[in-house]
Structures are given as structure tokens and as C-alpha cells.
Amino acid sequence: MATSFGTATSTVIPADSKIRLQSFTGLKSSHSIAFTTNLRGFPVPFSAHSIIRAVSTPVKPETTTTVPKRSKVEIFKEQSNFIRYPLNEEILTDTPNINEAATQLIKFHGSYQQYNREERGTRSYSFMLRTKNPGGKVPNRLYLTMDDLADQFGIGTLRLTTRQTFQLHGVLKKNLKTVMSTIIRNMGSTLGACGDLNRNVLAPAAPLLTKEYLFAQETADNIAALLTPQSGFYYDVWVDGERFMTSEPPEVVQARNDNSHGTNFPDSPEPIYGTQFLPRKFKIAVTVPTDNSVDILTNDIGVVVISDKNGEPQGFNIYVGGGMGRTHRLETTFPRLGEPLGYVPKGDILYAIKAIVATQRDHGRRDDRKYSRMKYLISSWGIEKFRSAVEQYYGKKFEPFHELPEWEFKSYLGWHEQGDGALFCGLHVDNGRIGGKMKKTLREVIEKYNLNVRITPNQNLILCDIRSAWRHPITTVLAQAGLLHPRYVDPLNLTAMACPAFPLCPLAITEAERGIPDILKRIRAVFEKVGLKYSESVVIRITGCPNGCARPYMAELGLVGDGPNSYQIWLGGTPNQTQLARSFMNKVKVQDLEKVFEPLFYYWKRKRQPKESFGAFTTRMGEKILLRLFELTAQQLMRMLISRRDLKNFKSWWTNGKVQCKHQQGIT
């Protein structure tokens, strides 16, 4: 193992002069949305004559007379001395907040500045901290530390995120350094949990001891280490440059330092990122065939372990170009699924990842952050051109993508064997919010039995390394705190997710986390009303804005905030998260949701094929047919759907009034 240090000297390092600027023209139409009917293209968002500039390869410098247009954040990064200034000064002032530049830079350190949007008058500023936990792994010591920090410096709760991390809300500026340094000194980190760099690397959270799962977790750890910033800014700011020695596999160090194909900035403290880091956030997930617990197709890079007949890992399939974020009423922004790039032998995975990152770094847009994710670069270029560019940095051709079995969503809730005689227990946590009696009980169990834990991409928690003799007492005490076996939890809740939204998220348009409990109860009531069984379920995800943190565009029923107490309705995702939903209705007020849900769920009950999911059904029916439900007269709809025995149910929802909702074509 090689040794590296999480710090560097604080001397000011000028911007690397070895940068050439390369231009490309606007985005092409995207045809990436996987939907079987009414496929829409996305128009070009700007003139074909518009020249877009992006930082390019750090070698082979050449002069240019054209000054590239850059976003304000790019200038902040350039002038920051590798993400230090002015944050290092702003956190020392007496004001409760930090300035605009520092607000952007602190994201790289794993924090967002927020304020309570429900309070009027003077803003009450606080900070949200997000940890970095590759594969969701949380050592016992770190969990107990986060639990303490939530009480001492936060709002008394911990939140599990959709990227297998903790979020700690409500930290005051005067306490930031104490909280950050405490996390660092207790086996944790927030470095790179936010900002324009690689975020937390996902992997299946189940602590299964098969070769495939162990290799997936190891690969996630190595990718996370490869793409961790090296210039020491994080430790300079929060622990005054104190050195924290960590061990890295030699293959990680070798891959990071290799510059055989022009991937690195020579002599820079950030050999991969340079002064400008990446154009936007970058997300990676690793998994094994069939296991789509990580929403593999929603990531910039999706890595799938490929094994031989004996279960020995041989290499990896790689997907590229996934991403959820979009902007309302701007059709040139869109969610996108990852698509196959190719296959690499297992010894090449770090070099392939680095080549993909370098391609996005050098060619991704830096002028308009709405179009800076890698999905827009691939949509513009097409996969063949993108693959060719990556191969220049990789130094090899990608091998053909290996055929994969069908994907399956795996929650890992309940009790399971790890494979070493110990057990693990997956606990459903509504929207990932740990507080009150649940928080107290979890701490008691984790502390008493010295358990390590893992966070799942579905905002749930897994207790690991449990002896068989502990199962009964742990089950009993957890149940008393409301942490029930999944068979006692409403099936709608088991797969539902929501982002935090109000009151602290600055991007929220309407409620999500606080609103979803009532919405799920109302949907359950609709199920009962139209005659659907309790065991039947639909994947429901709700976000307070279109940025997609809870991945609503993969849900069978997605609600995306588009105004105060108003949602855009998305339909057509699948239970195994392999197909994008599509925009169906806009501006549906929260009090009118039943007027949309009842006819849709009733139609599903009456017209579905055997075992057809709600998402597959809405896709097969298509938008036009479903919209007719809201345009037909009562008599027409009766002839279309209703048998005599169903007439009573039908009259019940019809007499409550049809929804009057203007539907706009296209993704808005």
C-alpha cells in the first residue's frame, strides 16, 4: 500500500498556463429518453454559429485570440488558490453568512449555505454538511459521532441521502470548523460531497461477502480515492493543515500519476482536476449484474462488474451520460439515461474512469451551467464521437459491451445472511430522516452491539455484522421505536423517496419531504377506493424542484414541484428503474391530486395486462389515451371502462369533479 497525505502547502499556485482552448458548437437533439411512444426530440438550444469554449487538454499549449465565455463560478474557482480563498477568510468573520464566492467554494468542502425560508425579516443562516461514504459504508465510530453532532450543533436529526451519505442540517457558521474537524478526526470526511468534482461513489449497500459484491465495493473505494482532490485545501481550511495519513492501494496511486495519454496537469497539486476542476457535479455508481439498488443508469458513469462462470470478476461494462437535473420550461434541459460505452478488463478500470473524467473536464461546457453536465456533451456529440475522444485519453479501444441479465431493484430490507455466519438487517427509514425515538434507539443498538452500518441509495439504513443471538433482542427494541420489519410497512412507503425541500433548501418551489407522508396516505386511500389490493404498489418519488435529487424521473409516478403547492406529474418509469418517466401534466395543485390519480389508477386496474406495473401500463397506453380520461364525458367514460359492479366506485370519483388541467406538449 502506498501512503498519501490529505494536505499540501498553502503557497499560492498560479493558474496553469498549459491550457489550450478548444471550441465546439451547440447541443444536438437528444433521442435518449427510453419511451416507447410519442418520442420527442429536443431542439438545439442555441445557434449553430454560437461558439462554446471549454478548458481542454493541459498539454500541447497553443495561443488563442478569442476570450472564452465562462460562468461566474469558473472565475471563482480560478481565483481561489485551489478552493481556499476567500473561504478561509470568510469563515473567520463575525457575520452569520459567507459571501458569494465562498458560498460556491464551500460546496467543494461538502457544505451548502442555507437559511430558513419560512422566516420573515432577517435571514437565519445555517449550513448543511454532507459526508462522503463510498458505497454507503459508515464505521461505528463515525455513526456515533454524527449522532452526537446532530444534537450538539444541528437540528437534532440526521438525514440519509439518495447517494448513501449523511446530511447534517442547521450548523451555524461559528461551529463549522468544530463540526468539520470532529468529522475528520473520527474516520469521516465531507471533501467532495458537493461541488464541481466527483461526488460520493455508489455501490450496493448490502454487506454480502460474495466475490462480485466485494469487488464492486473495492472498485467503488478505489474510484473514490482516485478522484479525491490532492491539493490539501480541505485540511488547510478545517484542521489548519494538519496531516492525516491514509493508505491507498498502489494501483490507485499509479493510475492517478500516469500521464501517458495527456490526462494530467503536469506539476499541478491537482493532477486530474487542475485549477478549474470539472464543469459541474459528477456522479459514479458501481454494481453487479441484476442489482439496480444504485439507479445505475442515472449516473455520469455506471460501472458493472463482469465475472466468469466461476464468479471470478474479469472486467467491467461501462455506461455513460446519465443525469436527472433539468429546468422547468426549458426543453433543452432534460433527464437522460446512461448508455453503453464499452467493456474494459478489470486492471484498466481506473484508467478508463480517468479518461472519461478528463474528456468531460476538457470538453464539457463552462459558459452555461445548465448545460455543463456530461449528459449534454454526449447528447451533442453522440456516443461514437464521445467514445473516440475517451479512447484518446485511455490509449486503447473499448471492447464490446457484454450482455447483461434483466435489472432488478433490491432494497435489502429485513434480515439477511452476510455469508460469514453473521446477519445484516435493512431498516426502512421514511425519507431518510432519523430523529426522535428512532434516533435514540438506533444509537443505543449501534453502540451496545458495536455495529457498523451502511446507507442505501433509497435513504434506508443497514445494520451489519449482527450475531444470530442478537437478532431477537434487536428486533424487539427496534420495533418499539417504529423500525418495523418491511412486511409491516405500507408497500407504497417502501419504495417512495423525497428530497428535503422546504424549509431550508434554497431551490425548493414546494414541499417534498414534509408533504409526502400525507400524499402517500391519500394515494393509499385512492387504491382502496378503486379496488386495488394493499399488496400492490407503485414507485413514487417527490421533489420540490426540477433538479431531481430524489430521482423522480425514474419513478412510475413522479411529482416535481413547479409552483407553490403545485406539481408537475411524470408517468412511465419502471419498478426496476430502467426507463425514464415522461411529463404528463403541469401545475396540478396539491389539493387536486386525487382528481388525477383516481382515473389513472382505476384505468390501470381495469385495463392492465397480467402482472403489468403501473409504469409499464402508462407507457403502453401512451399520453394521448391517458389524457382522454380527463376529456371524456361521464357517459363516454362509463362505456369505455365501467362494468355494472364498478358503477358505484366510478360515480363516486366522477361526481367529485374532473380535474381541469391545461396540458402542455413537450417536457416543460
Side-chain angles (χ1 to χ4, degrees):
M1 304 287 281
T3 301
S4 66
F5 294 89
T7 188
T9 59
S10 299
T11 55
V12 176
I13 301 168
D16 199 319
S17 61
K18 297 182 178 182
I19 297 177
R20 67 179 173 88
L21 299 171
Q22 185 164 345
S23 65
F24 61 91
T25 54
L27 302 180
K28 297 177 183 177
S29 295
S30 168
H31 299 287
S32 59
I33 292 188
F35 211 83
T36 59
T37 61
N38 298 328
L39 185 63
R40 300 181 185 128
F42 296 93
V44 178
F46 39 71
S47 167
H49 299 292
S50 299
I51 301 299
I52 309 302
R53 301 289 179 178
V55 174
S56 192
T57 312
V59 294
K60 302 178 182 178
E62 61 182 48
T63 60
T64 179
T65 57
T66 303
V67 178
K69 180 182 177 182
R70 296 185 297 165
S71 70
K72 186 183 293 187
V73 176
E74 291 299 313
I75 297 171
F76 290 153
K77 288 187 285 188
E78 181 181 55
Q79 297 174 348
S80 70
N81 183 22
F82 292 95
I83 319 299
R84 292 176 174 86
Y85 175 83
L87 177 62
N88 54 352
E89 296 180 356
E90 284 289 307
I91 61 172
L92 301 178
T93 66
D94 293 331
T95 60
N97 62 313
I98 56 180
N99 67 19
E100 183 183 6
T103 298
Q104 293 298 328
L105 297 180
I106 200 171
K107 296 176 184 179
F108 291 76
H109 297 253
S111 180
Y112 284 88
Q113 180 171 265
Q114 301 179 330
Y115 65 93
N116 190 330
R117 296 175 60 191
E118 294 179 332
E119 294 181 358
R120 297 295 177 258
T122 303
R123 290 182 175 181
S124 301
Y125 286 100
S126 65
F127 292 80
M128 180 273 284
L129 274 62
R130 184 184 295 155
T131 59
K132 196 89 171 281
N133 310 91
K137 292 188 296 184
V138 182
N140 175 273
R141 177 176 162 188
L142 178 59
Y143 184 93
L144 299 178
T145 297
M146 296 300 297
D147 183 83
D148 287 337
L149 291 174
D151 290 337
Q152 295 172 20
F153 301 104
I155 59 174
T157 67
L158 284 171
R159 198 173 197 282
L160 313 177
T161 78
T162 59
R163 291 204 71 80
Q164 299 184 274
T165 65
F166 286 116
Q167 283 186 176
L168 181 64
H169 291 90
V171 179
L172 299 180
K173 175 182 162 182
K174 65 181 181 180
N175 297 323
L176 268 176
K177 199 162 186 177
T178 298
V179 175
M180 288 284 203
S181 61
T182 301
I183 292 172
I184 293 168
R185 290 188 168 94
N186 286 276
M187 306 176 69
S189 176
T190 65
L191 172 60
C194 321
D196 299 343
L197 71 175
N198 180 54
R199 302 288 186 89
N200 197 52
V201 181
L202 303 188
L208 297 170
L209 298 181
T210 66
K211 293 178 182 178
E212 279 189 322
Y213 276 91
L214 290 172
F215 193 54
Q217 186 70 62
E218 177 187 339
T219 301
D221 291 340
N222 288 346
I223 292 172
L226 172 73
L227 299 177
T228 295
Q230 298 295 299
S231 56
F233 62 81
Y234 179 67
Y235 301 97
D236 284 351
V237 171
W238 304 113
V239 290
D240 301 321
E242 182 179 344
R243 293 174 177 263
F244 283 80
M245 189 168 64
T246 58
S247 295
E248 291 183 328
E251 59 266 30
V252 172
V253 178
Q254 182 178 346
R256 182 189 298 124
N257 293 337
D258 180 76
N259 196 28
S260 302
H261 305 287
T263 53
N264 288 21
F265 289 89
D267 305 318
S268 171
E270 291 292 351
I272 296 176
Y273 292 127
T275 60
Q276 299 305 116
F277 288 76
L278 298 180
R280 277 297 302 274
K281 67 181 77 172
F282 200 88
K283 299 181 177 181
I284 300 175
V286 183
T287 192
V288 303
T290 75
D291 188 338
N292 199 20
S293 60
V294 299
D295 259 350
I296 190 73
L297 300 178
T298 65
N299 292 270
D300 291 273
I301 303 177
V303 178
V304 185
V305 176
I306 302 298
S307 301
D308 61 19
K309 294 180 180 180
N310 298 318
E312 292 288 343
Q314 300 298 309
F316 302 89
N317 275 352
I318 299 177
Y319 293 97
V320 291
M324 291 284 97
R326 50 179 285 275
T327 302
H328 282 315
R329 293 174 293 281
L330 191 60
E331 296 185 13
T332 52
T333 66
F334 45 84
R336 188 182 195 276
L337 295 184
E339 58 185 304
L341 181 70
Y343 169 90
V344 298
K346 63 181 180 181
D348 286 356
I349 186 60
L350 297 181
Y351 298 90
I353 294 292
K354 186 178 171 185
I356 296 167
V357 170
T359 302
Q360 163 65 355
R361 176 198 69 198
D362 294 349
H363 298 286
R365 288 181 58 170
R366 293 178 183 265
D367 63 321
D368 189 338
R369 291 176 65 81
K370 291 192 298 294
Y371 302 106
S372 292
R373 290 291 298 275
M374 193 171 76
K375 64 181 179 179
Y376 295 113
L377 178 63
I378 296 175
S379 292
S380 170
W381 280 5
I383 191 63
E384 295 301 329
K385 179 177 178 179
F386 182 81
R387 182 184 294 112
S388 179
V390 173
E391 288 172 345
Q392 296 299 310
Y393 291 117
Y394 178 37
K396 300 178 182 180
K397 293 286 186 182
F398 285 99
E399 297 178 33
F401 200 80
H402 286 219
E403 185 177 352
L404 292 172
E406 194 73 22
W407 290 108
E408 176 186 349
F409 169 72
K410 299 185 179 183
S411 69
Y412 296 110
L413 297 177
W415 289 91
H416 305 268
E417 295 183 356
Q418 292 183 175
D420 59 353
L423 304 172
F424 71 88
C425 181
L427 302 173
H428 171 73
V429 181
D430 279 335
N431 305 305
R433 183 69 67 178
I434 298 176
K437 186 175 182 180
M438 178 196 299
K439 180 174 176 293
K440 180 181 178 181
T441 301
L442 277 173
R443 184 197 173 90
E444 291 173 352
V445 170
I446 291 168
E447 190 169 33
K448 177 179 179 179
Y449 296 100
N450 194 31
L451 303 179
N452 297 317
V453 306
R454 297 194 183 186
I455 302 169
T456 81
N458 231 51
Q459 303 173 314
N460 294 320
L461 195 69
I462 293 178
L463 307 182
C464 306
D465 309 314
I466 302 172
R467 296 180 187 175
S468 297
W470 300 344
R471 176 171 177 169
H472 179 70
I474 287 177
T475 299
T476 301
V477 70
L478 290 177
Q480 292 171 351
L483 289 161
L484 306 174
H485 189 281
R487 67 172 172 267
Y488 300 118
V489 180
D490 190 319
L492 291 172
N493 291 62
L494 289 178
T495 55
M497 291 200 297
C499 68
F502 285 128
L504 294 177
C505 179
L507 301 177
I509 303 171
T510 193
E511 297 286 0
E513 179 184 341
R514 296 192 307 191
I516 195 173
D518 180 62
I519 290 174
L520 291 176
K521 290 177 183 177
R522 290 163 62 187
I523 292 174
R524 173 56 63 195
V526 171
F527 268 39
E528 294 174 356
K529 191 172 185 178
V530 303
L532 288 166
K533 297 177 181 178
Y534 180 81
S535 59
E536 296 182 281
S537 187
V538 170
V539 177
I540 301 165
R541 295 176 177 179
I542 303 178
T543 57
C545 82
N547 287 285
C549 293
R551 302 188 286 273
Y553 311 116
M554 302 301 290
E556 294 182 273
L557 173 61
L559 276 65
V560 179
D562 64 356
N565 299 312
S566 173
Y567 295 97
Q568 189 178 61
I569 308 297
W570 287 65
L571 302 175
T574 52
N576 65 352
Q577 279 83 63
T578 57
Q579 181 171 282
L580 281 175
R582 288 186 67 87
S583 174
F584 179 66
M585 280 187 175
N586 303 307
K587 300 291 183 181
V588 179
K589 290 295 184 180
V590 66
Q591 65 268 21
D592 291 330
L593 288 174
E594 280 88 349
K595 297 177 184 178
V596 178
F597 296 160
E598 288 182 14
L600 289 175
F601 288 139
Y602 190 83
Y603 195 33
W604 175 44
K605 177 180 181 293
R606 295 293 301 158
K607 296 295 183 179
R608 60 185 168 180
Q609 296 174 350
K611 298 183 179 180
E612 187 174 32
S613 69
F614 179 70
F617 171 78
T618 57
T619 298
R620 180 171 62 85
M621 288 295 99
E623 180 181 69
K624 291 182 179 179
I625 291 177
L626 294 177
L627 284 172
R628 286 190 64 203
L629 295 176
F630 306 95
E631 298 168 356
L632 297 175
T633 66
Q635 291 76 16
Q636 289 171 325
L637 196 58
M638 285 170 63
R639 288 196 297 269
M640 182 177 178
L641 291 176
I642 309 300
S643 65
R644 289 180 181 272
R645 64 181 179 180
D646 296 318
L647 188 57
K648 184 177 180 180
N649 281 338
F650 170 74
K651 285 182 177 179
S652 175
W653 69 259
W654 185 264
T655 53
N656 286 332
K658 296 187 297 181
V659 64
Q660 300 298 321
C661 181
K662 181 180 179 181
H663 175 74
Q664 300 175 358
Q665 294 294 320
I667 293 180
T668 59

